[in-house]
Amino acid sequence: MALRDLSRQAWMWKILSFVLFFGAWEIAGQIPISLSFPTFVDTFVAFMRMTFDGSFLGAYAQTVQPLLIGVLISSFAGIACGVGMGLWRGFEWCTLVIFIILQAAPVAAIIPLITYLYGIGLTSKVIAVVIMSLPLIVLNSYKGIRHTHPSLLEMSRSFQGSRMQEIMKIILPAASPLIFAGLRLGVGAGFIGVVLAELLITPTGIGDLITYHRSVADYPEMFAAITSIIVLAAVTLTGLLKLEVFVRPENRAR
Amino acid sequence: MNQVAEKVSNSADDTIVSVDGIAKRYEGGVQALKGVNLDIPAGQLTTFLGPSGCGKTTLLKIIAGLLDPTEGEVRIRGQKVTGPGPDRSFVFQDFALMPWATVIRNVAFGLELSGASKEERYEKATKYIAEVGLKGFEDAYPHELSGGMRQRVGLARALAVNADIILMDEPFASVDEQTRRKFQDDLLDLLAIEKKTVIFVTHSIEEAVYVSDQIVLLSRRPGKVANIFTTDLDRSVSPDEVRRQKNYLDSVDEIWAILREYLQEDESAAARKVRG
């Protein structure tokens, strides 16, 4: 009963914050704060039109491909690499520094180099996504493994758990909150990577929609395209949050 | 009274754990233990008591096989300890429960690691959950339980693997006083049924005297055995009456007198350091 009240309240707050945000947007567009800043209503209309006339569908068919391939590569390779670094000192020594440098590097500056090496096709875009997301996933997974509570490891040893059991039953579940945090950050960075690639390498997909509508001064359409990618990223990250509950079911009760 | 006397005579020469010349020096040079010799009788509750930092927990973990001694060896029924084994189970000070697992999975975890079928291990776990008084909490998660209840889960897990020796590292240290007393009585009742050898680490004199058959007093670092007391309490009476018995009060006083000496030596050593 009380719980339902609480969740209803949470919903009300969420809706209220959307109303406030869109209201402020509408007012800012009405003033207008800039000639290139459309109102919320105009943007919403453009958004609906682009949804139903197939422009979004066509654009995302192109954008999602490098994004999905890149994020999948980063997730599997990143978790494997981070877990490996957390478990074996030798592996940590030879790889940790690479990812720390990658994480610190301004990737937009590297993208022209990628284009030079791999051309303007799918490969370059996938690489842009991977470069953005991989270090985050690796470093968080590594941190998660390293922060396993020592007394849980001792507990597993005291019941004669093998190293394999220790990894599968203690270390990985203990690290999973940080691994998932890394995945969320990494997927978010993957979105940045794919948009950067579509803006800087070749204008295709959603990057092309943004560039095109800006060049012809269709600002509501341009903002609708930007909004669409933000919405897609938000929905994806929420989905990941739900997935996490399967691995750490105790969080459902909280 | 008769019961206690019988228990003592039964197991007087029945040594289950022998500690032989144990020394432990940690990396970095801290000498935690030096020349520890000790025989622990089967079927009794033996307490390690001593000032903080005297190596009580280190000694317990060496017996558990979780730490390697620098010198000496521990034998269990004559067999040298080289690591953890099925004859010993450990109860941790911080409970060491997996937060992502339900009570029943935590309790069954020792059996899970040894490859028992899910049916078998859940059946055993259910039995021990009831024995420690947590019936109805099988599907709860550790964060939904109080500290005292979490430690009951830790105890049930240690009992479920049916080891002969249960090693308890300050199990009630993070539990409030009321819960602690209740837990002490429940532990004694449970051990009367389960017939285990228990080695118990504590820094509370009252707790040591109340629960133990035998108290091993360790000296300051590097820890060695300073004294061994056998308490001879009549446990047929109520807990409050036990705490009023002359034997109980005398033992508490006697141990406190020794520990106070250590404390004063520490203080004068610290004072000398300040003056020097």
Side-chain angles (χ1 to χ4, degrees):
Chain A
M1 180 70 182
L3 209 71
R4 188 189 281 174
D5 276 358
L6 216 71
S7 74
R8 191 184 299 150
Q9 262 188 2
W11 268 109
M12 285 200 5
W13 285 113
K14 272 182 197 163
I15 290 169
L16 188 68
S17 78
F18 275 114
V19 168
L20 279 176
F21 178 76
F22 292 139
W25 182 351
E26 181 66 26
I27 292 167
Q30 293 283 356
I31 293 175
I33 54 167
S34 154
L35 282 175
S36 57
F37 189 77
T39 63
F40 168 66
V41 172
D42 288 346
T43 310
F44 186 76
V45 169
F47 187 94
M48 282 307 172
R49 191 172 59 243
M50 291 163 83
T51 307
F52 292 110
D53 72 3
S55 353
F56 277 156
L57 207 65
Y60 279 110
Q62 287 178 303
T63 303
V64 164
Q65 198 185 6
L67 179 64
L68 202 64
I69 296 173
V71 163
L72 283 178
I73 291 176
S74 293
S75 302
F76 285 103
I79 292 174
C81 202
V83 169
M85 279 159 63
L87 291 176
W88 297 288
R89 287 270 171 199
F91 196 54
E92 176 194 350
W93 273 92
C94 48
T95 45
L96 183 60
V97 66
I98 302 173
F99 290 107
I100 290 177
I101 291 172
L102 261 184
Q103 195 192 19
V107 175
I110 307 177
I111 285 180
L113 184 72
I114 298 171
T115 322
Y116 180 70
L117 289 173
Y118 296 99
I120 54 170
L122 183 65
T123 318
S124 285
K125 288 175 190 166
V126 170
I127 290 174
V129 172
V130 170
I131 278 186
M132 288 296 291
S133 63
L134 188 66
L136 293 166
I137 297 175
V138 170
L139 290 175
N140 274 280
S141 306
Y142 160 75
K143 232 186 292 171
I145 298 291
R146 269 301 151 82
H147 285 178
T148 307
H149 203 292
S151 82
L152 282 180
L153 298 177
E154 221 167 31
M155 187 275 289
S156 166
R157 280 219 300 136
S158 82
F159 289 108
Q160 303 107 59
S162 64
R163 176 70 171 155
M164 202 56 196
Q165 286 176 321
E166 184 178 289
I167 293 171
M168 298 307 291
K169 291 177 190 287
I170 303 285
I171 297 179
L172 285 180
S176 62
L178 267 172
I179 294 179
F180 271 99
L183 276 180
R184 284 196 300 275
L185 289 170
V187 170
F191 273 89
I192 301 176
V194 80
V195 172
L196 270 180
E198 288 186 332
L199 292 174
L200 296 176
I201 300 175
T202 35
T204 51
I206 199 73
D208 179 42
L209 271 189
I210 297 170
T211 320
Y212 171 75
H213 288 295
R214 189 192 57 197
S215 65
V216 297
D218 282 340
Y219 295 117
E221 280 77 4
M222 175 187 143
F223 270 75
I226 294 172
T227 309
S228 74
I229 191 115
I230 294 174
V231 170
L232 184 65
V235 168
T236 311
L237 293 187
T238 313
L240 267 178
L241 218 56
K242 301 252 183 256
L243 190 67
E244 191 178 345
V245 175
F246 280 103
V247 184
R248 293 289 297 247
E250 86 275 14
N251 293 324
R252 194 185 341 229
R254 271 183 220 197
Chain B
M1 189 68 194
N2 281 339
Q3 227 175 356
V4 175
E6 195 179 274
K7 202 171 160 192
V8 170
S9 65
N10 260 350
S11 45
D13 296 306
D14 192 5
T15 298
I16 187 163
V17 179
S18 39
V19 176
D20 192 2
I22 288 290
K24 176 70 184 175
R25 182 194 293 276
Y26 284 106
E27 279 174 55
V30 174
Q31 182 90 39
L33 296 167
K34 199 174 179 182
V36 178
N37 294 298
L38 187 63
D39 283 337
I40 292 169
Q44 296 198 13
L45 199 153
T46 301
T47 305
F48 295 164
L49 179 69
S52 43
C54 73
K56 312 182 280 280
T57 297
T58 304
L59 182 56
L60 192 73
K61 285 188 175 169
I62 289 173
I63 294 172
L66 291 170
L67 286 175
D68 292 326
T70 321
E71 284 168 35
E73 62 178 36
V74 174
R75 285 183 304 273
I76 294 184
R77 292 198 195 89
Q79 288 279 325
K80 190 182 170 188
V81 167
T82 51
D87 47 3
R88 286 151 288 152
S89 59
F90 205 96
V91 177
F92 292 84
Q93 183 179 355
D94 62 358
F95 321 136
L97 302 180
M98 300 175 291
W100 57 85
T102 55
V103 166
I104 194 160
R105 189 170 168 225
N106 267 297
V107 171
F109 192 66
L111 300 162
E112 183 179 335
L113 290 182
S114 64
S117 72
K118 187 167 181 176
E119 199 179 26
E120 183 196 338
R121 56 184 203 250
Y122 274 35
E123 189 189 313
K124 281 189 184 161
T126 309
K127 174 183 165 222
Y128 285 102
I129 289 169
E131 246 180 50
V132 299
L134 284 180
K135 204 174 161 96
F137 288 94
E138 287 84 356
D139 297 322
Y141 288 97
H143 72 89
E144 298 168 312
L145 306 178
S146 70
M149 290 161 88
R150 285 181 210 181
Q151 194 52 292
R152 284 169 192 268
V153 177
L155 179 61
R157 178 177 60 194
L159 290 170
V161 293
N162 200 22
D164 295 335
I165 306 167
I166 297 193
L167 307 164
M168 303 178 89
D169 181 15
E170 302 206 27
F172 309 143
S174 35
V175 167
D176 64 67
E177 186 60 30
Q178 298 90 298
T179 316
R180 190 179 177 125
R181 287 199 174 190
K182 177 83 173 69
F183 204 156
Q184 288 166 357
D185 290 331
D186 290 352
L187 179 69
L188 291 176
D189 291 346
L190 198 57
L191 294 175
I193 308 168
E194 291 284 336
K195 305 258 186 292
K196 304 283 185 191
T197 303
V198 177
I199 308 177
F200 190 103
V201 165
T202 181
H203 57 249
S204 158
I205 303 171
E206 284 82 3
E207 179 167 275
V209 176
Y210 185 68
V211 299
S212 322
D213 301 308
Q214 180 182 236
I215 299 171
V216 177
L217 193 61
L218 295 172
S219 68
R220 288 179 308 150
R221 196 152 64 206
K224 49 184 176 294
V225 178
N227 226 323
I228 298 182
F229 299 86
T230 348
T231 58
D232 193 11
L233 304 180
D234 174 10
R235 296 192 193 278
S236 60
V237 296
S238 77
D240 289 333
E241 284 172 56
V242 171
R243 288 194 174 86
R244 278 197 293 269
Q245 279 173 34
K246 190 169 183 307
N247 278 347
Y248 173 86
L249 296 168
D250 286 351
S251 301
V252 171
D253 280 347
E254 203 176 335
I255 295 170
W256 171 229
I258 298 171
L259 284 177
R260 190 166 48 197
E261 251 171 58
Y262 293 153
L263 217 63
Q264 276 161 355
E265 282 168 32
D266 277 348
E267 276 169 7
S268 52
R272 270 199 303 278
K273 220 179 206 171
V274 171
R275 279 199 300 273

